[in-house]
């Protein structure tokens, strides 16, 4: 039976992913990136090859998943098992005795979304690393993001399911929007890029640890009702929610209940933006309409 121990695997993983430790990295130019990478080193998240970090070296899938798990602090502490999980339970190509096996197990159990057929020794692309990092980040808490939509010149090259992850990370300032508009999604992510993004994610998590925020449940007090005569017998009743910053907000009419006092209750719901989704910044007015016999007086009723 496999012994469930993290001390030795994690120690070996640090050596295999980032080489031997050193007091400083001579190949990192002065600046913010160097400071971030050195901070990760001091936390035991990364190390180097002697005095070199080799920041432009391409990251493998194994190294990327390990770095994401370490930097976001994911673990198995919240889970109970009848038997210790194995990497092979969730992945076809991950050896149960590999140095990175425990990180893949943690990623799988927490739901990071790493595909079953991932090949650990292949290079990880920039978009894939961003996508998995975003998933791991969102597993650590509930966060409110600004909702700017960043236009990318090479958006057509981004895997469709990965685009939201890029937008969220750019809004959270975890990834800097590219100066030239090209994200280069299919290019391999480098050790330097991966480490900087991991540092930014860890800082984001730490800065929100004591102050998670979200939007309050709407009360419906700002919903307006208007009635327009279609003809002598029919009225069009429209409910509108006022101006919103983007299309993530919506209003839906759920049902109409006709009462004996000749009122018609229009039951509606208000929908907030989906958590973690980014929307184009276009002013919209969520609204929905229903047609009623003119003999009825409409009454709007908010359903929760």
């Amino acid at each position: 039976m496999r012994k469930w121990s993290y001390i030795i695997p994690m120690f070996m993983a640090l050596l295999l992913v980032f080489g031997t430790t050193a007091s400083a990295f001579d190949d990192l130019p002065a600046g913010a990136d160097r400071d971030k990478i050195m901070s990760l080193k001091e936390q035991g998240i990364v190390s180097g090859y002697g005095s070199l970090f080799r920041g432009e070296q391409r990251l493998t899938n194994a190294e990327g998943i390990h770095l994401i798990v370490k930097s976001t602090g994911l673990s198995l502490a919240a889970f109970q098992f009848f038997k210790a999980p194995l990497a092979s339970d969730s992945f076809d190509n991950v050896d149960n005795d590999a140095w990175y096996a425990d990180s893949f197990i943690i990623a799988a159990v927490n739901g990071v979304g790493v595909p079953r057929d991932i090949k650990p020794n292949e290079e990880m692309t920039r978009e894939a690393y961003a996508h998995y990092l975003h998933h791991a980040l969102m597993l650590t808490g509930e966060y409110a993001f600004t909702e700017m939509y960043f236009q990318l010149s090479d958006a057509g090259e981004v895997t469709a399911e990965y685009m939201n992850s890029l937008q969220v990370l750019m809004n959270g300032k975890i990834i800097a929007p590219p100066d030239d508009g090209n994200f280069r999604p299919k290019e391999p992510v480098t050790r330097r890029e991966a480490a900087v993004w991991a540092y930014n994610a860890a800082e984001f998590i730490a800065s929100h640890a004591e102050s998670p925020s979200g939007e309050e449940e709407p009360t419906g007090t700002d919903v307006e009702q208007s009635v327009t005569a279609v003809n002598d017998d029919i009225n069009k009743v429209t409910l509108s929610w006022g101006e919103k910053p983007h299309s993530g907000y919506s209003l839906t009419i759920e049902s109409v209940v006709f009462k004996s006092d000749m009122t018609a209750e229009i039951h509606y719901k208000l929908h907030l933006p989906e958590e973690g989704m980014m929307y184009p910044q276009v002013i919209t007015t969520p609204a929905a309409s229903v047609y009623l016999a003119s003999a009825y007086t409409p009454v709007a009723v908010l359903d929760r």
Side-chain angles (χ1 to χ4, degrees):
M1 182 178 293
R2 184 173 185 265
K3 293 183 179 179
W4 199 239
S5 171
Y6 289 97
I7 298 175
I8 293 176
M10 287 300 183
F11 174 73
M12 291 301 296
L14 287 174
L15 291 179
L16 289 168
V17 175
F18 296 104
T20 57
T21 59
S23 58
F25 296 133
D26 296 338
D27 58 343
L28 288 177
D33 285 1
R34 177 187 175 88
D35 294 341
K36 292 177 180 181
I37 293 170
M38 290 305 300
S39 176
L40 290 179
K41 175 186 176 296
E42 292 168 3
Q43 298 174 58
I45 295 176
V46 302
S47 55
Y49 298 87
S51 63
L52 303 179
F53 181 68
R54 297 181 184 174
E56 300 313 308
Q57 183 171 302
R58 297 174 174 183
L59 212 68
T60 66
N61 287 323
E63 295 168 342
I65 296 303
H66 177 72
L67 180 55
I68 288 169
V69 167
K70 289 282 290 181
S71 61
T72 57
L74 295 183
S75 72
L76 300 179
F79 301 91
Q80 293 183 341
F81 306 96
F82 292 107
K83 72 175 186 69
L86 300 174
S88 58
D89 294 337
S90 302
F91 303 101
D92 296 330
N93 304 303
V94 179
D95 192 304
N96 291 323
D97 295 320
W99 63 263
Y100 47 80
D102 286 345
S103 290
F104 274 79
I105 292 170
I106 293 170
V109 172
N110 281 273
V112 174
V114 182
R116 184 177 186 91
D117 62 352
I118 191 171
K119 295 181 180 179
N121 294 323
E122 288 189 352
E123 295 171 349
M124 182 173 281
T125 64
R126 289 163 53 82
E127 64 171 5
Y129 183 82
H131 184 61
Y132 303 142
L133 181 61
H134 167 238
H135 272 244
L137 171 70
M138 299 308 294
L139 290 167
T140 66
E142 296 182 3
Y143 306 110
F145 294 86
T146 58
E147 295 166 339
M148 181 180 297
Y149 191 87
F150 294 91
Q151 297 292 340
L152 300 176
S153 302
D154 53 0
E157 300 175 21
V158 177
T159 301
E161 65 181 292
Y162 293 174
M163 178 57 82
N164 185 65
S165 294
L166 304 188
Q167 294 293 332
V168 171
L169 294 185
M170 285 189 283
N171 272 272
K173 298 182 179 180
I174 294 165
I175 293 178
D179 294 334
D180 61 358
N182 293 306
F183 184 75
R184 312 188 315 281
K186 298 297 191 290
E187 289 186 12
V189 65
T190 66
R191 285 165 52 85
R192 178 187 57 78
E193 291 170 329
V196 169
W197 297 355
Y199 173 91
N200 292 343
E203 284 294 290
F204 182 92
I205 293 168
S207 66
H208 290 76
E210 297 180 358
S211 58
S213 60
E215 194 161 355
E216 293 183 1
E217 193 70 21
T219 62
T221 56
D222 53 349
V223 171
E224 296 183 353
Q225 174 182 288
S226 62
V227 180
T228 304
V230 177
N231 54 44
D232 291 342
D233 300 316
I234 302 296
N235 287 333
K236 178 182 179 181
V237 182
T238 300
L239 304 182
S240 57
W241 195 5
E243 289 189 349
K244 303 300 176 188
H246 55 68
S247 59
Y249 299 82
S250 63
L251 182 155
T252 58
I253 293 176
E254 302 298 308
S255 64
V256 179
V257 179
F258 296 96
K259 312 292 285 189
S260 59
D261 61 356
M262 299 305 291
T263 60
E265 293 183 348
I266 304 174
H267 290 255
Y268 69 95
K269 287 186 177 181
L270 301 176
H271 307 276
L272 293 172
E274 185 177 344
E275 183 179 343
M277 289 292 292
M278 294 294 109
Y279 303 89
Q281 296 294 100
V282 178
I283 300 297
T284 60
T285 301
S289 299
V290 66
Y291 293 87
L292 301 176
S294 57
Y296 284 90
T297 301
V299 178
V301 178
L302 174 64
D303 285 350
R304 296 188 181 278

